[in-house]
Amino acid sequence: MTENHRLSPGDPAPAFTLPDADGKDVSLSDYRGRKVIVYFYPAASTPGCTKQACDFRDNLAELGDAGLEVVGISPDKPAKLAKFRDAEQLTFPLLSDPDKEVLSAYGAFGEKMMYGKKVTGVIRSTFLVDENGKIEVAQYNVKATGHVAKLRRDLLPHLPGTSADS
């Protein structure tokens, strides 16, 4: 297998239009003029992905106050995403990428190590896309547990209207 293409700060964020949990199309361009956290996760309703999604849910107000939107993307079909959203009371868009085209464009699908073996799958990744559609932060192989707290530490002190001690 070839090395996954990885995005870096300053790169244009790959455009996308994907169906949400209700089958309604959501595009990256819908967020133009705002900062958006786009995170990729392997599968709805699995323990790690549930922990990560609930972590975003629980921190959504603070992220929103800092001017950040959140969008989650997985290969799951909309019906599974709707079940996941409803079960966990998630209030941010979950998008379906069953063909893995957007996952691949972001370098979030490919070869990874899992339990000591090389496998092909979703690479848990998080991106901050700025108001102009450029990658501001690109994080690959993130941990489901504690990731949002790390994002808050990394991002919030540097955003306008927030302070390091908030």
Side-chain angles (χ1 to χ4, degrees):
M1 287 204 100
T2 58
E3 182 65 28
N4 299 328
H5 168 73
R6 298 258 166 132
L7 297 173
S8 300
D11 289 346
F16 61 78
T17 299
L18 294 170
D20 69 7
D22 297 316
K24 179 178 156 273
D25 281 349
V26 175
S27 299
L28 180 61
S29 60
D30 297 342
Y31 295 92
R32 188 59 72 135
R34 297 176 282 169
K35 289 181 185 266
V36 59
I37 294 169
V38 179
Y39 83 97
F40 295 90
Y41 61 100
S45 302
T46 57
C49 296
T50 299
K51 180 175 264 313
Q52 186 179 25
C54 291
D55 206 4
F56 273 114
R57 176 200 66 203
D58 296 346
N59 287 282
L60 208 54
E62 186 175 4
L63 294 170
D65 289 347
L68 300 172
E69 309 263 354
V70 175
V71 173
I73 300 177
S74 78
D76 298 307
K77 301 266 193 237
K80 186 175 180 189
L81 295 176
K83 222 179 260 186
F84 182 45
R85 176 198 61 204
D86 296 346
E88 303 304 332
Q89 301 174 349
L90 302 175
T91 55
F92 55 87
L94 298 175
L95 308 184
S96 172
D97 184 22
D99 298 332
K100 303 172 189 77
E101 288 177 13
V102 176
L103 283 147
S104 296
Y106 278 77
F109 185 82
E111 204 170 85
K112 64 180 184 175
M113 293 300 288
M114 195 160 135
Y115 306 116
K117 288 182 153 173
K118 273 189 187 177
V119 298
T120 300
V122 175
I123 299 163
R124 192 181 302 276
S125 307
T126 301
F127 303 87
L128 177 61
V129 179
D130 74 11
E131 301 87 346
N132 301 310
K134 297 260 194 237
I135 299 292
E136 195 168 309
V137 174
Q139 298 179 341
Y140 291 93
N141 297 306
V142 302
K143 302 284 181 232
T145 304
H147 177 57
V148 175
K150 181 183 181 329
L151 270 178
R152 288 174 51 222
R153 283 193 308 274
D154 291 352
L155 300 179
L156 295 187
H158 307 289
L159 295 172
T162 62
S163 67
D165 40 52
S166 65

